[in-house]
Amino acid sequence: MSFFNLLKIAGKALLLNKTRALLTMLGIIIGIASVIAMVSLGKSSSQSISEQISSSGTNLIMVMRASRRQAGVNIGSGSVQSLRATDVDAILKQAPKISMASPSVNASGQIIYGPNNWPGSIQGGNADFLTIRRYEIASGSNFTAQDVNNSAKVCLVGQTVVENIFPDGEEPLGKIIRFGKIPLKIVGILESKGQNQMGQDQDDIVIAPYTTVQKRILAIPYIHSIVASAVSEPEVAAAVREIEEILRKTHRIKAGAADDFQVRTQQEMLQMMDSVSGFLTVLLAAIASISLVVGGIGIMNIMYVTVTERTREIGLRMSIGAKNKDILMQFLFESTILSLIGGVIGILLGLALSYLASSMLHWPFTVGLGSVTISFLVCAFTGIFFGWYPARKAASLDPINALHYE
């Protein structure tokens, strides 16, 4: 029997029982739609996280104080004073793979203007801090190297701070705000960056010269961390090695002794988030695949019913010359077509659901062509696998008994 005849017979058989065919396909539709949606949303979330991390610079390097242990207990890095501004000078002079570096200090407190106040944070850096952290200035200007040297009382503010301490739309540039008890003149307004990969508002910030924060607000001789930028993304690993060698030398750390600092890169965070996102995507897809098995069992069940209902038809076909393999292929075609149609509908539904969810979550819509192709092949395999035994049963019927079947 030719391919087109088999296709025609299978199509007529399915059209005669449209409602039953649709209900049978429902398990496949739900299974494929779930898998496609889960994989697509997993890729979308991973891409969204990657874009947010990249917005801070993939060549960003962060040097932080190492945690301190006392009596075998990790007491954190809050009391560690291992980093100094002179470390930044040493890195800039001795590390050719580093293009820019800045001390970093931060504090939390009340931001006050007139009767309005807002609980926020202030970040201190040098004139290159904005470039390293990929902040853009919407209006006004950055503070200068001279402001850093003089511990000038100037600052730049993020959009969230502007909205909360200037609720009436007053022009912030040139205004004097207070961070705690320290007056600061606003010299620039930052472009909005939104939330970072951890859900923190990057616009809820005040940026000032690090010397201002260090001396006037915190009154400390050390810095909290160092942010640096490698000359290029491929040179990040080499730049990290240079920083480690320089700091071990300047801190006079003996061979074999533990570092009093730790170096992190955005690439490490990107790899970690990709790994976590990939694992969750696979896990969710595996859970969603269970409905495919249920759908396959539904196909097998219906095909058994179909064989029973059409026993006399099978006997008639055999009596006029149909061979066992023709009967086998006839019912195998029906189960495969049933599964493939359900698969196509499921793919379209899954893509529609993932697009809707991505739009609501403001994630980039990503289609995994590999997952679509694999889903289509799985549908074909499901139809063949679960339809084989009922089709085999139909092909093995005795023609005489089949003709007399009531």
Side-chain angles (χ1 to χ4, degrees):
M1 192 178 295
S2 69
F3 173 83
F4 292 104
N5 282 336
L6 288 170
L7 197 62
K8 184 177 179 181
I9 293 170
K12 285 183 177 179
L14 295 176
L15 288 173
L16 286 173
N17 297 281
K18 292 187 285 291
T19 303
R20 187 168 71 182
L22 181 60
L23 291 173
T24 305
M25 288 188 293
L26 200 58
I28 298 294
I29 292 172
I30 294 172
I32 291 296
S34 301
V35 172
I36 292 292
M38 290 299 100
V39 172
S40 180
L41 286 175
K43 289 181 177 293
S44 296
S45 66
S46 180
Q47 185 176 335
S48 176
I49 291 170
S50 297
E51 288 176 356
Q52 289 182 17
I53 292 175
S54 297
S55 68
S56 298
T58 51
N59 57 344
L60 176 67
I61 300 172
M62 294 160 287
V63 184
M64 296 165 287
R65 298 169 293 169
S67 299
R68 189 162 64 91
R69 299 182 69 85
Q70 184 173 320
V73 178
N74 191 329
I75 60 173
S77 60
S79 60
V80 177
Q81 303 182 16
S82 57
L83 296 178
R84 305 276 172 161
T86 52
D87 292 328
V88 178
D89 298 333
I91 289 172
L92 289 172
K93 290 177 181 178
Q94 301 175 37
K97 302 296 185 183
I98 296 295
S99 60
M100 290 177 287
S102 169
S104 177
V105 288
N106 56 81
S108 299
Q110 288 290 323
I111 305 167
I112 304 165
Y113 178 73
N116 303 312
N117 67 85
W118 176 252
S121 62
I122 187 168
Q123 186 83 43
N126 64 16
D128 292 327
F129 182 84
L130 266 65
T131 305
I132 296 171
R133 295 308 305 265
R134 300 286 181 90
Y135 278 102
E136 299 290 339
I137 297 177
S139 58
S141 61
N142 192 10
F143 51 81
T144 64
Q146 185 176 355
D147 291 330
V148 175
N149 293 333
N150 296 334
S151 304
K153 298 177 183 178
V154 294
C155 69
L156 300 96
V157 293
Q159 295 293 336
T160 300
V161 176
V162 171
E163 292 169 4
N164 284 280
I165 64 172
F166 297 98
D168 299 327
E170 187 178 353
E171 173 57 50
L173 280 178
K175 298 296 188 297
I176 304 295
I177 62 173
R178 283 188 296 119
F179 190 89
K181 297 180 180 180
I182 306 301
L184 300 170
K185 180 180 179 181
I186 298 176
V187 296
I189 310 297
L190 300 171
E191 288 276 6
S192 177
K193 290 189 71 172
Q195 293 184 341
N196 63 12
Q197 61 273 15
M198 300 301 179
Q200 296 174 327
D201 185 1
Q202 297 181 95
D203 300 322
D204 188 8
I205 192 170
V206 175
I207 299 178
Y210 81 91
T211 50
T212 305
V213 180
Q214 182 188 40
K215 298 175 182 178
R216 298 183 185 275
I217 296 175
L218 295 173
I220 56 175
Y222 58 93
I223 60 176
H224 291 148
S225 61
I226 299 170
V227 290
S229 181
V231 291
S232 64
E233 187 176 337
E235 300 288 357
V236 169
V240 168
R241 289 193 295 271
E242 287 181 348
I243 290 174
E244 290 173 342
E245 291 174 3
I246 292 167
L247 292 183
R248 285 186 66 86
K249 181 179 178 181
T250 57
H251 292 188
R252 297 178 181 178
I253 299 173
K254 297 179 181 179
D259 294 338
D260 59 0
F261 61 90
Q262 51 186 339
V263 184
R264 295 287 181 268
T265 68
Q266 290 290 73
Q267 291 178 341
E268 292 175 354
M269 184 175 291
L270 187 59
Q271 291 170 358
M272 181 188 71
M273 297 301 290
D274 281 345
S275 177
V276 172
S277 178
F279 173 77
L280 290 176
T281 300
V282 171
L283 179 63
L284 291 172
I287 294 171
S289 299
I290 294 174
S291 57
L292 274 177
V293 178
V294 176
I297 294 171
I299 288 177
M300 179 181 283
N301 183 47
I302 290 301
M303 292 309 298
Y304 266 122
V305 174
T306 301
V307 169
T308 303
E309 289 178 345
R310 296 165 62 186
T311 300
R312 295 192 66 183
E313 176 194 331
I314 294 168
L316 183 60
R317 287 184 182 278
M318 286 182 169
S319 67
I320 60 176
K323 299 179 181 179
N324 287 359
K325 68 175 184 179
D326 294 326
I327 302 299
L328 176 70
M329 293 302 295
Q330 175 187 337
F331 285 93
L332 206 55
F333 254 66
E334 285 187 28
S335 65
T336 303
I337 289 172
L338 201 63
S339 181
L340 288 176
I341 293 174
V344 172
I345 297 173
I347 289 171
L348 295 176
L349 179 60
L351 292 175
L353 289 173
S354 61
Y355 177 78
L356 181 63
S358 297
S359 300
M360 293 174 64
L361 295 169
H362 304 289
W363 288 350
F365 175 58
T366 305
V367 179
L369 295 179
S371 62
V372 172
T373 304
I374 291 173
S375 297
F376 191 78
L377 294 176
V378 166
C379 286
F381 174 78
T382 301
I384 295 171
F385 180 81
F386 288 97
W388 173 262
Y389 193 75
R392 185 67 180 171
K393 180 184 177 183
S396 62
L397 287 175
D398 181 81
I400 297 175
N401 292 334
L403 286 169
H404 289 84
Y405 183 81
E406 295 294 338

